[in-house]
Amino acid sequence: MNGAVNGPSYAVPGSARGTVPGLATPYPLGEALPAVYAEDDFGRRFVSGLDVVLAPLFNVLDSLEAYFSPALAPADFVDHLATWVGAELDGSEPLETRRRAVAAAVALHRVRGTRRGLVAAVRLAFGTAPEVVESGGAHWSARPLGPFPGKPSPGLHVTLRVADPAAVDPYRLRAVVAAARPAHLPFTTTVTSASAPEGAPTP
């Protein structure tokens, strides 16, 4: 398999399988020529140039199953797979992160809009599970007219604690949270040092 990522963004237009030096074709066109052309040296050399173009196509077809496996697909095809399964990527992630995102996309869609899904999406994007504080709650009471759980104003706050806050793009965190949160909840995000005590002021 042959593939390359052209630039930082994924789903690059025009990326495709290219020729591979020295790759032989299993079906040389010269052997399929009628006898009158097969005996001509120029004719055989002419169609051998087409063999160079067609050889990668046979190579792709022989390994087509691997193209649909996030762990085995060429880098540029991983980026195409990301668009097909709706993986939350911006194209700047390392290749291995993109592979994991594509592999996990379907499972994340099943829990999208839940606390579990939000934590999983942020962990996948940044390698660290966030702290999530939400306004909702659940409570039961043996008597009627018990206190209502949670807060009256809906809201969600996500705190990401990392070793180097300056290395994390806060706008990227907001984008991930916006995509994975319950759709009706307003939210805020914070990136802070992992060494900062809980409750301490954060940037």
Side-chain angles (χ1 to χ4, degrees):
M1 293 179 291
N2 179 38
V5 173
N6 299 323
S9 61
Y10 64 94
V12 180
S15 70
R17 311 281 70 77
T19 57
V20 180
L23 181 64
T25 176
Y27 306 106
L29 293 177
E31 296 182 1
L33 290 174
V36 64
Y37 297 113
E39 295 175 355
D40 180 62
D41 180 65
F42 173 78
R44 295 184 65 91
R45 286 188 289 109
F46 179 80
V47 297
S48 68
L50 300 177
D51 287 336
V52 175
V53 178
L54 294 176
L57 300 181
F58 294 121
N59 188 48
V60 169
L61 293 174
D62 287 344
S63 57
L64 187 60
E65 182 179 349
Y67 277 78
F68 298 97
S69 169
L72 300 175
D76 63 332
F77 207 81
V78 171
D79 298 331
H80 285 296
L81 292 177
T83 65
W84 296 353
V85 298
E88 297 293 340
L89 295 171
D90 66 2
S92 63
E93 297 86 357
L95 176 59
E96 290 308 313
T97 298
R98 303 203 307 273
R99 292 187 188 278
R100 289 195 298 270
V102 172
V106 174
L108 284 179
H109 289 323
R110 293 193 185 105
V111 292
R112 191 168 190 157
T114 67
R115 182 188 184 102
R116 174 187 169 193
L118 174 59
V119 170
V122 174
R123 182 192 293 115
L124 184 62
F126 298 97
T128 302
E131 299 168 9
V132 179
V133 178
E134 53 186 322
S135 57
H139 182 72
W140 73 275
S141 174
R143 299 181 179 181
L145 304 179
F148 286 101
K151 301 176 182 178
S153 299
L156 175 72
H157 183 72
V158 177
T159 301
L160 185 64
R161 298 181 180 275
V162 294
D164 182 11
V168 175
D169 182 357
Y171 297 103
R172 173 66 178 143
L173 175 60
R174 284 189 60 84
V176 172
V177 174
R181 69 186 167 102
H184 66 286
L185 281 183
F187 70 97
T188 56
T189 59
T190 298
V191 180
T192 187
S193 173
S195 60
E198 293 198 24
T202 54

PDB file of all heavy atoms in Angstrom, residues 32-64:
ATOM      1  N   ALA A  32      -1.374 -10.090 -23.186  1.00  0.00           N
ATOM      2  CA  ALA A  32      -2.750 -10.171 -23.671  1.00  0.00           C
ATOM      3  C   ALA A  32      -2.903  -9.603 -25.078  1.00  0.00           C
ATOM      4  O   ALA A  32      -3.998  -9.588 -25.631  1.00  0.00           O
ATOM      5  CB  ALA A  32      -3.680  -9.430 -22.712  1.00  0.00           C
ATOM      6  N   LEU A  33      -1.794  -9.119 -25.655  1.00  0.00           N
ATOM      7  CA  LEU A  33      -1.869  -8.538 -26.998  1.00  0.00           C
ATOM      8  C   LEU A  33      -2.095  -9.621 -28.061  1.00  0.00           C
ATOM      9  O   LEU A  33      -1.624 -10.753 -27.914  1.00  0.00           O
ATOM     10  CB  LEU A  33      -0.573  -7.795 -27.324  1.00  0.00           C
ATOM     11  CG  LEU A  33      -0.303  -6.494 -26.560  1.00  0.00           C
ATOM     12  CD1 LEU A  33       1.091  -5.972 -26.915  1.00  0.00           C
ATOM     13  CD2 LEU A  33      -1.367  -5.446 -26.864  1.00  0.00           C
ATOM     14  N   PRO A  34      -2.815  -9.284 -29.115  1.00  0.00           N
ATOM     15  CA  PRO A  34      -2.912 -10.225 -30.246  1.00  0.00           C
ATOM     16  C   PRO A  34      -1.517 -10.514 -30.800  1.00  0.00           C
ATOM     17  O   PRO A  34      -0.594  -9.703 -30.655  1.00  0.00           O
ATOM     18  CB  PRO A  34      -3.768  -9.452 -31.261  1.00  0.00           C
ATOM     19  CG  PRO A  34      -4.506  -8.425 -30.452  1.00  0.00           C
ATOM     20  CD  PRO A  34      -3.597  -8.063 -29.314  1.00  0.00           C
ATOM     21  N   ALA A  35      -1.362 -11.634 -31.427  1.00  0.00           N
ATOM     22  CA  ALA A  35      -0.048 -12.086 -31.888  1.00  0.00           C
ATOM     23  C   ALA A  35       0.637 -11.074 -32.795  1.00  0.00           C
ATOM     24  O   ALA A  35       1.850 -10.856 -32.705  1.00  0.00           O
ATOM     25  CB  ALA A  35      -0.180 -13.425 -32.605  1.00  0.00           C
ATOM     26  N   VAL A  36      -0.151 -10.378 -33.622  1.00  0.00           N
ATOM     27  CA  VAL A  36       0.448  -9.449 -34.562  1.00  0.00           C
ATOM     28  C   VAL A  36       1.138  -8.297 -33.841  1.00  0.00           C
ATOM     29  O   VAL A  36       2.125  -7.743 -34.328  1.00  0.00           O
ATOM     30  CB  VAL A  36      -0.617  -8.925 -35.557  1.00  0.00           C
ATOM     31  CG1 VAL A  36      -1.692  -8.122 -34.826  1.00  0.00           C
ATOM     32  CG2 VAL A  36       0.028  -8.086 -36.659  1.00  0.00           C
ATOM     33  N   TYR A  37       0.602  -7.927 -32.661  1.00  0.00           N
ATOM     34  CA  TYR A  37       1.224  -6.858 -31.866  1.00  0.00           C
ATOM     35  C   TYR A  37       2.221  -7.417 -30.852  1.00  0.00           C
ATOM     36  O   TYR A  37       3.213  -6.765 -30.529  1.00  0.00           O
ATOM     37  CB  TYR A  37       0.157  -6.058 -31.134  1.00  0.00           C
ATOM     38  CG  TYR A  37      -0.797  -5.341 -32.049  1.00  0.00           C
ATOM     39  CD1 TYR A  37      -2.134  -5.720 -32.092  1.00  0.00           C
ATOM     40  CD2 TYR A  37      -0.368  -4.302 -32.870  1.00  0.00           C
ATOM     41  CE1 TYR A  37      -3.022  -5.071 -32.935  1.00  0.00           C
ATOM     42  CE2 TYR A  37      -1.253  -3.649 -33.708  1.00  0.00           C
ATOM     43  CZ  TYR A  37      -2.579  -4.033 -33.740  1.00  0.00           C
ATOM     44  OH  TYR A  37      -3.453  -3.403 -34.572  1.00  0.00           O
ATOM     45  N   ALA A  38       1.952  -8.623 -30.372  1.00  0.00           N
ATOM     46  CA  ALA A  38       2.836  -9.207 -29.363  1.00  0.00           C
ATOM     47  C   ALA A  38       4.222  -9.482 -29.944  1.00  0.00           C
ATOM     48  O   ALA A  38       5.220  -9.501 -29.204  1.00  0.00           O
ATOM     49  CB  ALA A  38       2.226 -10.504 -28.830  1.00  0.00           C
ATOM     50  N   GLU A  39       4.313  -9.688 -31.241  1.00  0.00           N
ATOM     51  CA  GLU A  39       5.612  -9.957 -31.860  1.00  0.00           C
ATOM     52  C   GLU A  39       6.388  -8.679 -32.125  1.00  0.00           C
ATOM     53  O   GLU A  39       7.561  -8.740 -32.508  1.00  0.00           O
ATOM     54  CB  GLU A  39       5.403 -10.724 -33.171  1.00  0.00           C
ATOM     55  CG  GLU A  39       4.804 -12.117 -32.972  1.00  0.00           C
ATOM     56  CD  GLU A  39       4.495 -12.790 -34.291  1.00  0.00           C
ATOM     57  OE1 GLU A  39       4.661 -12.125 -35.342  1.00  0.00           O
ATOM     58  OE2 GLU A  39       4.072 -13.972 -34.274  1.00  0.00           O
ATOM     59  N   ASP A  40       5.734  -7.529 -31.933  1.00  0.00           N
ATOM     60  CA  ASP A  40       6.388  -6.248 -32.207  1.00  0.00           C
ATOM     61  C   ASP A  40       7.023  -5.719 -30.928  1.00  0.00           C
ATOM     62  O   ASP A  40       6.339  -5.523 -29.908  1.00  0.00           O
ATOM     63  CB  ASP A  40       5.360  -5.251 -32.736  1.00  0.00           C
ATOM     64  CG  ASP A  40       5.992  -3.903 -33.040  1.00  0.00           C
ATOM     65  OD1 ASP A  40       6.884  -3.838 -33.899  1.00  0.00           O
ATOM     66  OD2 ASP A  40       5.611  -2.911 -32.373  1.00  0.00           O
ATOM     67  N   ASP A  41       8.318  -5.497 -30.958  1.00  0.00           N
ATOM     68  CA  ASP A  41       9.031  -5.046 -29.764  1.00  0.00           C
ATOM     69  C   ASP A  41       8.534  -3.689 -29.296  1.00  0.00           C
ATOM     70  O   ASP A  41       8.371  -3.462 -28.092  1.00  0.00           O
ATOM     71  CB  ASP A  41      10.538  -5.000 -30.063  1.00  0.00           C
ATOM     72  CG  ASP A  41      11.329  -4.529 -28.850  1.00  0.00           C
ATOM     73  OD1 ASP A  41      11.330  -5.246 -27.834  1.00  0.00           O
ATOM     74  OD2 ASP A  41      11.921  -3.427 -28.915  1.00  0.00           O
ATOM     75  N   PHE A  42       8.282  -2.791 -30.246  1.00  0.00           N
ATOM     76  CA  PHE A  42       7.816  -1.458 -29.866  1.00  0.00           C
ATOM     77  C   PHE A  42       6.445  -1.535 -29.171  1.00  0.00           C
ATOM     78  O   PHE A  42       6.209  -0.852 -28.169  1.00  0.00           O
ATOM     79  CB  PHE A  42       7.710  -0.553 -31.092  1.00  0.00           C
ATOM     80  CG  PHE A  42       7.084   0.782 -30.790  1.00  0.00           C
ATOM     81  CD1 PHE A  42       7.805   1.795 -30.170  1.00  0.00           C
ATOM     82  CD2 PHE A  42       5.743   1.019 -31.102  1.00  0.00           C
ATOM     83  CE1 PHE A  42       7.219   3.018 -29.875  1.00  0.00           C
ATOM     84  CE2 PHE A  42       5.155   2.237 -30.819  1.00  0.00           C
ATOM     85  CZ  PHE A  42       5.883   3.243 -30.194  1.00  0.00           C
ATOM     86  N   GLY A  43       5.545  -2.365 -29.679  1.00  0.00           N
ATOM     87  CA  GLY A  43       4.219  -2.500 -29.092  1.00  0.00           C
ATOM     88  C   GLY A  43       4.279  -3.009 -27.664  1.00  0.00           C
ATOM     89  O   GLY A  43       3.583  -2.512 -26.775  1.00  0.00           O
ATOM     90  N   ARG A  44       5.154  -4.007 -27.441  1.00  0.00           N
ATOM     91  CA  ARG A  44       5.271  -4.559 -26.090  1.00  0.00           C
ATOM     92  C   ARG A  44       5.873  -3.538 -25.130  1.00  0.00           C
ATOM     93  O   ARG A  44       5.451  -3.427 -23.981  1.00  0.00           O
ATOM     94  CB  ARG A  44       6.109  -5.836 -26.119  1.00  0.00           C
ATOM     95  CG  ARG A  44       5.463  -6.981 -26.890  1.00  0.00           C
ATOM     96  CD  ARG A  44       6.303  -8.252 -26.795  1.00  0.00           C
ATOM     97  NE  ARG A  44       6.356  -8.758 -25.418  1.00  0.00           N
ATOM     98  CZ  ARG A  44       5.498  -9.634 -24.923  1.00  0.00           C
ATOM     99  NH1 ARG A  44       4.488 -10.069 -25.670  1.00  0.00           N
ATOM    100  NH2 ARG A  44       5.601 -10.063 -23.695  1.00  0.00           N
ATOM    101  N   ARG A  45       6.871  -2.778 -25.612  1.00  0.00           N
ATOM    102  CA  ARG A  45       7.463  -1.768 -24.744  1.00  0.00           C
ATOM    103  C   ARG A  45       6.477  -0.634 -24.471  1.00  0.00           C
ATOM    104  O   ARG A  45       6.456  -0.041 -23.392  1.00  0.00           O
ATOM    105  CB  ARG A  45       8.747  -1.226 -25.372  1.00  0.00           C
ATOM    106  CG  ARG A  45       9.912  -2.213 -25.300  1.00  0.00           C
ATOM    107  CD  ARG A  45      11.233  -1.613 -25.743  1.00  0.00           C
ATOM    108  NE  ARG A  45      11.266  -1.370 -27.183  1.00  0.00           N
ATOM    109  CZ  ARG A  45      11.241  -0.159 -27.740  1.00  0.00           C
ATOM    110  NH1 ARG A  45      11.182   0.916 -26.981  1.00  0.00           N
ATOM    111  NH2 ARG A  45      11.285  -0.035 -29.057  1.00  0.00           N
ATOM    112  N   PHE A  46       5.628  -0.319 -25.444  1.00  0.00           N
ATOM    113  CA  PHE A  46       4.642   0.745 -25.287  1.00  0.00           C
ATOM    114  C   PHE A  46       3.629   0.395 -24.189  1.00  0.00           C
ATOM    115  O   PHE A  46       3.345   1.198 -23.299  1.00  0.00           O
ATOM    116  CB  PHE A  46       3.922   0.983 -26.614  1.00  0.00           C
ATOM    117  CG  PHE A  46       2.861   2.044 -26.541  1.00  0.00           C
ATOM    118  CD1 PHE A  46       3.188   3.388 -26.591  1.00  0.00           C
ATOM    119  CD2 PHE A  46       1.524   1.684 -26.404  1.00  0.00           C
ATOM    120  CE1 PHE A  46       2.202   4.363 -26.510  1.00  0.00           C
ATOM    121  CE2 PHE A  46       0.539   2.651 -26.332  1.00  0.00           C
ATOM    122  CZ  PHE A  46       0.876   4.004 -26.374  1.00  0.00           C
ATOM    123  N   VAL A  47       3.083  -0.804 -24.223  1.00  0.00           N
ATOM    124  CA  VAL A  47       2.074  -1.171 -23.219  1.00  0.00           C
ATOM    125  C   VAL A  47       2.702  -1.447 -21.854  1.00  0.00           C
ATOM    126  O   VAL A  47       2.011  -1.390 -20.828  1.00  0.00           O
ATOM    127  CB  VAL A  47       1.254  -2.396 -23.684  1.00  0.00           C
ATOM    128  CG1 VAL A  47       0.478  -2.078 -24.943  1.00  0.00           C
ATOM    129  CG2 VAL A  47       2.142  -3.622 -23.883  1.00  0.00           C
ATOM    130  N   SER A  48       4.019  -1.721 -21.830  1.00  0.00           N
ATOM    131  CA  SER A  48       4.664  -1.923 -20.518  1.00  0.00           C
ATOM    132  C   SER A  48       4.627  -0.637 -19.694  1.00  0.00           C
ATOM    133  O   SER A  48       4.643  -0.682 -18.455  1.00  0.00           O
ATOM    134  CB  SER A  48       6.109  -2.397 -20.712  1.00  0.00           C
ATOM    135  OG  SER A  48       6.921  -1.371 -21.270  1.00  0.00           O
ATOM    136  N   GLY A  49       4.568   0.518 -20.378  1.00  0.00           N
ATOM    137  CA  GLY A  49       4.423   1.775 -19.654  1.00  0.00           C
ATOM    138  C   GLY A  49       3.082   1.856 -18.933  1.00  0.00           C
ATOM    139  O   GLY A  49       2.982   2.445 -17.850  1.00  0.00           O
ATOM    140  N   LEU A  50       2.055   1.259 -19.508  1.00  0.00           N
ATOM    141  CA  LEU A  50       0.752   1.212 -18.852  1.00  0.00           C
ATOM    142  C   LEU A  50       0.762   0.240 -17.664  1.00  0.00           C
ATOM    143  O   LEU A  50       0.021   0.419 -16.700  1.00  0.00           O
ATOM    144  CB  LEU A  50      -0.328   0.808 -19.856  1.00  0.00           C
ATOM    145  CG  LEU A  50      -0.502   1.749 -21.056  1.00  0.00           C
ATOM    146  CD1 LEU A  50      -1.550   1.213 -22.008  1.00  0.00           C
ATOM    147  CD2 LEU A  50      -0.866   3.152 -20.582  1.00  0.00           C
ATOM    148  N   ASP A  51       1.602  -0.788 -17.756  1.00  0.00           N
ATOM    149  CA  ASP A  51       1.718  -1.719 -16.631  1.00  0.00           C
ATOM    150  C   ASP A  51       2.168  -0.994 -15.368  1.00  0.00           C
ATOM    151  O   ASP A  51       1.719  -1.311 -14.261  1.00  0.00           O
ATOM    152  CB  ASP A  51       2.714  -2.834 -16.960  1.00  0.00           C
ATOM    153  CG  ASP A  51       2.156  -3.823 -17.978  1.00  0.00           C
ATOM    154  OD1 ASP A  51       0.918  -3.935 -18.074  1.00  0.00           O
ATOM    155  OD2 ASP A  51       2.958  -4.475 -18.669  1.00  0.00           O
ATOM    156  N   VAL A  52       3.060  -0.024 -15.527  1.00  0.00           N
ATOM    157  CA  VAL A  52       3.551   0.734 -14.377  1.00  0.00           C
ATOM    158  C   VAL A  52       2.406   1.485 -13.702  1.00  0.00           C
ATOM    159  O   VAL A  52       2.340   1.605 -12.481  1.00  0.00           O
ATOM    160  CB  VAL A  52       4.650   1.730 -14.819  1.00  0.00           C
ATOM    161  CG1 VAL A  52       5.083   2.616 -13.664  1.00  0.00           C
ATOM    162  CG2 VAL A  52       5.839   0.976 -15.390  1.00  0.00           C
ATOM    163  N   VAL A  53       1.473   1.984 -14.514  1.00  0.00           N
ATOM    164  CA  VAL A  53       0.328   2.726 -13.978  1.00  0.00           C
ATOM    165  C   VAL A  53      -0.693   1.792 -13.339  1.00  0.00           C
ATOM    166  O   VAL A  53      -1.292   2.108 -12.301  1.00  0.00           O
ATOM    167  CB  VAL A  53      -0.334   3.549 -15.101  1.00  0.00           C
ATOM    168  CG1 VAL A  53      -1.568   4.290 -14.591  1.00  0.00           C
ATOM    169  CG2 VAL A  53       0.662   4.545 -15.686  1.00  0.00           C
ATOM    170  N   LEU A  54      -0.900   0.638 -13.937  1.00  0.00           N
ATOM    171  CA  LEU A  54      -1.934  -0.275 -13.454  1.00  0.00           C
ATOM    172  C   LEU A  54      -1.492  -1.127 -12.274  1.00  0.00           C
ATOM    173  O   LEU A  54      -2.331  -1.577 -11.488  1.00  0.00           O
ATOM    174  CB  LEU A  54      -2.385  -1.190 -14.599  1.00  0.00           C
ATOM    175  CG  LEU A  54      -3.110  -0.503 -15.760  1.00  0.00           C
ATOM    176  CD1 LEU A  54      -3.398  -1.512 -16.864  1.00  0.00           C
ATOM    177  CD2 LEU A  54      -4.394   0.140 -15.281  1.00  0.00           C
ATOM    178  N   ALA A  55      -0.194  -1.353 -12.113  1.00  0.00           N
ATOM    179  CA  ALA A  55       0.292  -2.226 -11.040  1.00  0.00           C
ATOM    180  C   ALA A  55      -0.202  -1.784  -9.656  1.00  0.00           C
ATOM    181  O   ALA A  55      -0.647  -2.628  -8.862  1.00  0.00           O
ATOM    182  CB  ALA A  55       1.820  -2.303 -11.073  1.00  0.00           C
ATOM    183  N   PRO A  56      -0.153  -0.481  -9.306  1.00  0.00           N
ATOM    184  CA  PRO A  56      -0.662  -0.081  -7.989  1.00  0.00           C
ATOM    185  C   PRO A  56      -2.154  -0.353  -7.805  1.00  0.00           C
ATOM    186  O   PRO A  56      -2.606  -0.604  -6.691  1.00  0.00           O
ATOM    187  CB  PRO A  56      -0.366   1.426  -7.935  1.00  0.00           C
ATOM    188  CG  PRO A  56       0.731   1.636  -8.912  1.00  0.00           C
ATOM    189  CD  PRO A  56       0.476   0.652  -9.999  1.00  0.00           C
ATOM    190  N   LEU A  57      -2.928  -0.308  -8.891  1.00  0.00           N
ATOM    191  CA  LEU A  57      -4.360  -0.585  -8.780  1.00  0.00           C
ATOM    192  C   LEU A  57      -4.600  -2.028  -8.359  1.00  0.00           C
ATOM    193  O   LEU A  57      -5.434  -2.312  -7.487  1.00  0.00           O
ATOM    194  CB  LEU A  57      -5.057  -0.301 -10.113  1.00  0.00           C
ATOM    195  CG  LEU A  57      -4.955   1.132 -10.644  1.00  0.00           C
ATOM    196  CD1 LEU A  57      -5.718   1.264 -11.956  1.00  0.00           C
ATOM    197  CD2 LEU A  57      -5.480   2.133  -9.619  1.00  0.00           C
ATOM    198  N   PHE A  58      -3.861  -2.943  -8.985  1.00  0.00           N
ATOM    199  CA  PHE A  58      -3.989  -4.348  -8.583  1.00  0.00           C
ATOM    200  C   PHE A  58      -3.531  -4.526  -7.134  1.00  0.00           C
ATOM    201  O   PHE A  58      -4.105  -5.316  -6.380  1.00  0.00           O
ATOM    202  CB  PHE A  58      -3.171  -5.244  -9.520  1.00  0.00           C
ATOM    203  CG  PHE A  58      -3.685  -5.283 -10.928  1.00  0.00           C
ATOM    204  CD1 PHE A  58      -2.881  -4.889 -11.989  1.00  0.00           C
ATOM    205  CD2 PHE A  58      -4.968  -5.720 -11.200  1.00  0.00           C
ATOM    206  CE1 PHE A  58      -3.349  -4.923 -13.291  1.00  0.00           C
ATOM    207  CE2 PHE A  58      -5.453  -5.757 -12.509  1.00  0.00           C
ATOM    208  CZ  PHE A  58      -4.640  -5.357 -13.554  1.00  0.00           C
ATOM    209  N   ASN A  59      -2.494  -3.788  -6.759  1.00  0.00           N
ATOM    210  CA  ASN A  59      -1.983  -3.880  -5.390  1.00  0.00           C
ATOM    211  C   ASN A  59      -3.048  -3.429  -4.394  1.00  0.00           C
ATOM    212  O   ASN A  59      -3.238  -4.037  -3.337  1.00  0.00           O
ATOM    213  CB  ASN A  59      -0.727  -3.019  -5.256  1.00  0.00           C
ATOM    214  CG  ASN A  59      -0.029  -3.206  -3.932  1.00  0.00           C
ATOM    215  OD1 ASN A  59       0.191  -4.328  -3.510  1.00  0.00           O
ATOM    216  ND2 ASN A  59       0.306  -2.104  -3.270  1.00  0.00           N
ATOM    217  N   VAL A  60      -3.744  -2.337  -4.718  1.00  0.00           N
ATOM    218  CA  VAL A  60      -4.805  -1.838  -3.839  1.00  0.00           C
ATOM    219  C   VAL A  60      -5.949  -2.844  -3.760  1.00  0.00           C
ATOM    220  O   VAL A  60      -6.457  -3.146  -2.678  1.00  0.00           O
ATOM    221  CB  VAL A  60      -5.328  -0.477  -4.356  1.00  0.00           C
ATOM    222  CG1 VAL A  60      -6.603  -0.090  -3.615  1.00  0.00           C
ATOM    223  CG2 VAL A  60      -4.278   0.599  -4.174  1.00  0.00           C
ATOM    224  N   LEU A  61      -6.360  -3.396  -4.895  1.00  0.00           N
ATOM    225  CA  LEU A  61      -7.468  -4.339  -4.894  1.00  0.00           C
ATOM    226  C   LEU A  61      -7.127  -5.605  -4.110  1.00  0.00           C
ATOM    227  O   LEU A  61      -7.982  -6.172  -3.429  1.00  0.00           O
ATOM    228  CB  LEU A  61      -7.852  -4.697  -6.333  1.00  0.00           C
ATOM    229  CG  LEU A  61      -8.459  -3.549  -7.152  1.00  0.00           C
ATOM    230  CD1 LEU A  61      -8.671  -3.981  -8.597  1.00  0.00           C
ATOM    231  CD2 LEU A  61      -9.771  -3.087  -6.546  1.00  0.00           C
ATOM    232  N   ASP A  62      -5.877  -6.042  -4.207  1.00  0.00           N
ATOM    233  CA  ASP A  62      -5.460  -7.241  -3.475  1.00  0.00           C
ATOM    234  C   ASP A  62      -5.484  -7.025  -1.963  1.00  0.00           C
ATOM    235  O   ASP A  62      -5.623  -7.989  -1.201  1.00  0.00           O
ATOM    236  CB  ASP A  62      -4.054  -7.662  -3.905  1.00  0.00           C
ATOM    237  CG  ASP A  62      -4.039  -8.287  -5.298  1.00  0.00           C
ATOM    238  OD1 ASP A  62      -5.136  -8.665  -5.774  1.00  0.00           O
ATOM    239  OD2 ASP A  62      -2.964  -8.382  -5.898  1.00  0.00           O
ATOM    240  N   SER A  63      -5.319  -5.775  -1.528  1.00  0.00           N
ATOM    241  CA  SER A  63      -5.293  -5.489  -0.090  1.00  0.00           C
ATOM    242  C   SER A  63      -6.422  -4.540   0.317  1.00  0.00           C
ATOM    243  O   SER A  63      -6.300  -3.786   1.269  1.00  0.00           O
ATOM    244  CB  SER A  63      -3.937  -4.881   0.297  1.00  0.00           C
ATOM    245  OG  SER A  63      -3.678  -3.711  -0.470  1.00  0.00           O
ATOM    246  N   LEU A  64      -7.528  -4.585  -0.432  1.00  0.00           N
ATOM    247  CA  LEU A  64      -8.612  -3.625  -0.225  1.00  0.00           C
ATOM    248  C   LEU A  64      -9.173  -3.684   1.194  1.00  0.00           C
ATOM    249  O   LEU A  64      -9.524  -2.657   1.779  1.00  0.00           O
ATOM    250  CB  LEU A  64      -9.727  -3.897  -1.238  1.00  0.00           C
ATOM    251  CG  LEU A  64     -10.864  -2.866  -1.273  1.00  0.00           C
ATOM    252  CD1 LEU A  64     -10.327  -1.485  -1.626  1.00  0.00           C
ATOM    253  CD2 LEU A  64     -11.948  -3.283  -2.253  1.00  0.00           C
TER     254      LEU A  64
END
